[in-house]
Amino acid sequence: MVLRLLRLSNLSIIIFLLSLLQGQNITDPGAVLYRESRTSEVVERRVTLECGTTLPDMYIWGFTKPGTDKMRVVVYNFGKGPKFQQLAKDLGDLNIISNTSSLSIEKLRLAAEGLYTCQAMYDTDEGFRLFYYYMYLRVLVPVSKPYVSLGESSAVEGSTFLMRCGLENGTGPIHYTWEQESYSGLVTTLAESNSSVLIITWVTRNHTGWYRCLARNEVNQQRSDRIWVDVLFGPDLPEIQATAYSVTENGYSVLEKGNVSLRCQASSNPPSQYIWLYNNSEIYSGPEVTIIMALRMHTGVYGCTAKNMILNTWSKKTVTLTIYYPPDGGPSCSILPVNNYTDLALFCSWVGGFPPATLNWSPYVNGDNREGIVNVTRIQPGPDTANNTVFFCYGSHVALNVTQSCSTRTWLPYGEPQCSANSSSNNEYLMLSCSWEGGFPRALLWWVSSSGDTQGTSEENSNILVLRSSANYSGKAFVCHAKHPLAKESKRCVVNLDAPVLITRNRTVSVFEGTDVQLTCFLAKHYPPVLEITWYNNLKQNVGDTPMKYILQQGAAWSNLTVRETDSRVDSGQYWCSAANAVGGTEIPIMLLVMKYPMPPNVTVTKITYSSRQRTDVNVEWQIQMDGDITGFFIEIQRLSGPVGRSDIDPLWQKVAVDLEPSTRSYQINNLDPTGKYAFRVTAVNQRTVGNPSELKSPGEK
Ligand SMILES: *[C@@H]1O[C@H](CO)[C@@H](O)[C@H](O)[C@H]1NC(C)=O
Ligand SMILES: *[C@@H]1O[C@H](CO)[C@@H](O)[C@H](O)[C@H]1NC(C)=O
Ligand SMILES: *[C@@H]1O[C@H](CO)[C@@H](O)[C@H](O)[C@H]1NC(C)=O
Ligand SMILES: *[C@@H]1O[C@H](CO)[C@@H](O)[C@H](O)[C@H]1NC(C)=O
Ligand SMILES: *[C@@H]1O[C@H](CO)[C@@H](O)[C@H](O)[C@H]1NC(C)=O
Ligand SMILES: *[C@@H]1O[C@H](CO)[C@@H](O)[C@H](O)[C@H]1NC(C)=O
Ligand SMILES: *[C@@H]1O[C@H](CO)[C@@H](O)[C@H](O)[C@H]1NC(C)=O
């Protein structure tokens, strides 16, 4: 006890009290009592510290400042009323409550905190009794209004952020509560702790909002004003929205000549700055880019770059914009034979455009109404299809509001295939022609020889088989087969080949010379047609080489050769009529006999006289010695220089009358020289022959 007292007491007081005790003689050691208590009060308020229940005879209030061990006297009363020491003023407004030893402190000051010791002595019948009251007084300070201070002016998403709850006054321990008020006004408690610092290790944009802290101690609690924390973030990956025709795998599609708006949105604080790119080149800055009247060339990759200008961060998104445009024109239809010309392939095509056009055939072919794109082929059984059936192909495209169509019509060629054979101009080749035209699709034609082998290639519509000429083909047949999908069976036509055969009516023709004569020959069977019948004359020369002499007339199957003005010396002999085609040739001889006319009969001058004395005119009369072919007479005259019949006769005969009618038997010759001497003779003629002249006679001779 003494040790404790020693530790707590001011030395001078102890000495004073000890001397007191010694003087008063404390008989019972149990007469010293110790009481300890603790109390607390808020600064500026009032507190009463009690020292026993009854007023002691003497008391001393001492005060020991915390952290020291020196007790100092505040007030004492040794019976003459309380005496306050200088120190009391530092503690507040001090009073001793009347009739007690209780110490009342008003306007409690902060410095009043510490250990109060009241020593109270009672002088009783049993001697002195001493009481020690130890009271520890804590002076509490209410928390002042806290304030929030930020580590940095703005928070950045993903980083660490620090906030401090600042407080000027307040007795600890102080408890801190952090509250966040979101944009929407929702208040949430973020943290409660004894630390004034709030650390957000990973800031998110959700941390944006009003913040305040609440400080609390055992006296009170206070809220700070709210402070706005702006969290910088972004930009996030942009989202691109479009007012477009449709959404595609990588973006959007637009009909050509339509409008499209692309809108970019990327969350960011501060708000994003947007830049639009087309195929990586910048085209526009701003969140929304609009293309009026989009054309197919606007197809491409559109990118949106969002930038946070403060954080200097960016993000990018791209979309593919596809412009849908229709193919040009309309679909085109056709029909092709398939499966060896037994079936029809209906083919419809409409190329170009994007996306590809959609096509379908109507009526539904073969029960198949599937749609196709760009090129559609449907198989239709041929023989089930009627002649003149119309098929339609309808094409549609998203970028066109009307359906386009084409149609095609089946067409079975009329009648039968037509065959023919021809020879080349020099008969070197045999050409077999076959045709069955006008079909749709076209018919297939092929040639088969008499031995059953297919010759040459198969052709559509018409097929010309060219073979080297050969006599082996004579008497043989070639068959042309024709197949059209609309006809169940194939059709055929035949050519029978024959080398030419010539005939003539007269193997021998005889004629009197001087006239024209016709030689005729006829073609009997022959195929292919003989192009030309050729004639050779008696010298085996082609008559065509001497057109003045020969005239040719040709008919379909005959030929006349006219030999003009036949001459018995040159034109008689064997003539040849010749014909050839690509499967053979022949010639036949025709004998021409050109005969001379018989000699006209001899003429006898029966009478020759001068008609008058003037001797200028002479009458001649004559007779024929026998009947014969006569066409006329002529009379010749000869002037005589000497006596008639003498050897010095002038040899010059002059015709004085010609072409006298065959019936004429007399003639008068005029205008003679009366002094001259003349001789006359008469000659008979027929077509070509001049007869023997008559004996020459002179007038007057009898
Ligand atoms: C803190 O306490 C001191 C001294 O008591 C006083 O002067 C000051 O005004 C107080 N501050 C606040 C914010 O209450
Ligand atoms: C923000 O809060 C919303 C709703 O509470 C939540 O869906 C979202 O994930 C939060 N964002 C972040 C970045 O934490
Ligand atoms: C843009 O790119 C697309 C395909 O990537 C291309 O078809 C188009 O021609 C390009 N446009 C230009 C103007 O280069
Ligand atoms: C095609 O048809 C012809 C007769 O119609 C026949 O000879 C030929 O063998 C056929 N070809 C095929 C590949 O079926
Ligand atoms: C098929 O129809 C067309 C058109 O009417 C007609 O010209 C043709 O002759 C017909 N074919 C047959 C084999 O009837
Ligand atoms: C061809 O000659 C024959 C007799 O040789 C004759 O009957 C026929 O009329 C002649 N034809 C022509 C067109 O001159
Ligand atoms: C006709 O006359 C010729 C000589 O002038 C003679 O040779 C011939 O015998 C005569 N013919 C007849 C049938 O008398």
Side-chain angles (χ1 to χ4, degrees), residues 179-188 205-211 226 228:
E179 289 174 344
Q180 180 191 358
E181 187 181 330
S182 73
Y183 227 9
S184 56
L186 183 74
V187 177
T188 47
R205 65 198 63 182
N206 286 355
H207 289 117
T208 303
W210 297 105
Y211 283 81
R226 58 183 195 170
W228 179 257

Side-chain angles (χ1 to χ4, degrees), residues 395-694:
S396 53
H397 191 272
V398 290
L400 289 177
N401 45 17
V402 288
T403 300
Q404 305 280 317
S405 67
C406 58
S407 68
T408 183
R409 183 188 293 263
T410 60
W411 201 291
L412 178 61
Y414 182 75
E416 304 288 324
Q418 300 298 318
C419 290
S420 65
N422 279 297
S423 311
S424 65
S425 60
N426 51 7
N427 288 327
E428 241 181 289
Y429 298 100
L430 169 65
M431 295 176 294
L432 304 179
S433 306
C434 181
S435 79
W436 198 28
E437 295 187 1
F440 197 79
R442 296 187 283 198
L444 185 73
L445 309 171
W446 68 100
W447 281 100
V448 175
S449 72
S450 53
S451 58
D453 301 327
T454 300
Q455 302 279 310
T457 56
S458 298
E459 302 289 340
E460 287 185 333
N461 259 0
S462 70
N463 189 345
I464 297 178
L465 176 64
V466 178
L467 298 169
R468 198 159 261 288
S469 297
S470 167
N472 293 338
Y473 296 135
S474 184
K476 304 280 169 56
F478 278 76
V479 182
C480 171
H481 294 261
K483 179 78 181 97
H484 191 273
L486 260 53
K488 203 178 180 67
E489 305 292 338
S490 65
K491 300 208 173 209
R492 62 208 316 254
C493 60
V494 181
V495 291
N496 292 299
L497 301 175
D498 285 304
V501 172
L502 287 170
I503 51 173
T504 185
R505 230 171 260 151
N506 304 310
R507 284 283 178 151
T508 304
V509 177
S510 48
V511 69
F512 285 111
E513 67 175 343
T515 55
D516 296 349
V517 65
Q518 281 186 318
L519 309 181
T520 303
C521 80
F522 298 92
L523 270 172
K525 61 178 180 176
H526 62 110
Y527 200 73
V530 168
L531 296 177
E532 192 186 22
I533 295 173
T534 313
W535 289 91
Y536 295 94
N537 66 10
N538 51 348
L539 301 173
K540 271 276 179 181
Q541 292 162 334
N542 189 325
V543 298
D545 297 343
T546 41
M548 301 302 284
K549 178 69 183 170
Y550 304 105
I551 297 171
L552 273 177
Q553 287 168 298
Q554 298 263 9
W558 56 264
S559 179
N560 276 5
L561 171 69
T562 306
V563 183
R564 299 178 68 195
E565 295 179 12
T566 48
D567 188 310
S568 60
R569 287 161 302 161
V570 296
D571 291 332
S572 288
Q574 192 103 277
Y575 284 70
W576 294 92
C577 171
S578 163
N581 64 10
V583 298
T586 185
E587 54 185 6
I588 52 168
I590 296 176
M591 179 58 83
L592 176 63
L593 297 174
V594 180
M595 298 174 297
K596 276 185 171 304
Y597 282 94
M599 282 291 269
N602 285 355
V603 178
T604 308
V605 176
T606 51
K607 188 178 175 186
I608 181 161
T609 52
Y610 287 110
S611 60
S612 65
R613 285 231 170 146
Q614 278 74 41
R615 294 168 64 106
T616 54
D617 304 321
V618 173
N619 288 323
V620 181
E621 289 177 21
W622 64 89
Q623 278 179 350
I624 53 173
Q625 293 175 355
M626 55 195 294
D627 285 341
D629 192 11
I630 297 170
T631 57
F633 299 95
F634 62 86
I635 301 170
E636 290 164 299
I637 185 170
Q638 189 182 44
R639 189 170 181 140
L640 301 175
S641 48
V644 174
R646 294 238 308 260
S647 58
D648 56 345
I649 288 170
D650 188 344
L652 198 65
W653 285 98
Q654 262 188 304
K655 279 187 178 155
V656 287
V658 295
D659 294 339
L660 301 176
E661 286 295 308
S663 55
T664 312
R665 292 291 183 269
S666 63
Y667 189 76
Q668 186 174 64
I669 300 143
N670 306 110
N671 300 323
L672 295 173
D673 179 5
T675 60
K677 286 196 165 191
Y678 298 96
F680 297 88
R681 63 183 186 185
V682 178
T683 308
V685 295
N686 60 21
Q687 283 88 340
R688 265 306 168 96
T689 315
V690 179
N692 293 316
S694 64

Side-chain angles (χ1 to χ4, degrees), residues 279-298:
N279 283 7
N280 285 325
S281 350
E282 195 174 320
I283 50 164
Y284 183 72
S285 69
E288 183 164 359
V289 62
T290 300
I291 303 170
I292 310 279
M293 281 277 285
L295 299 174
R296 59 195 74 174
M297 59 177 230
H298 290 126

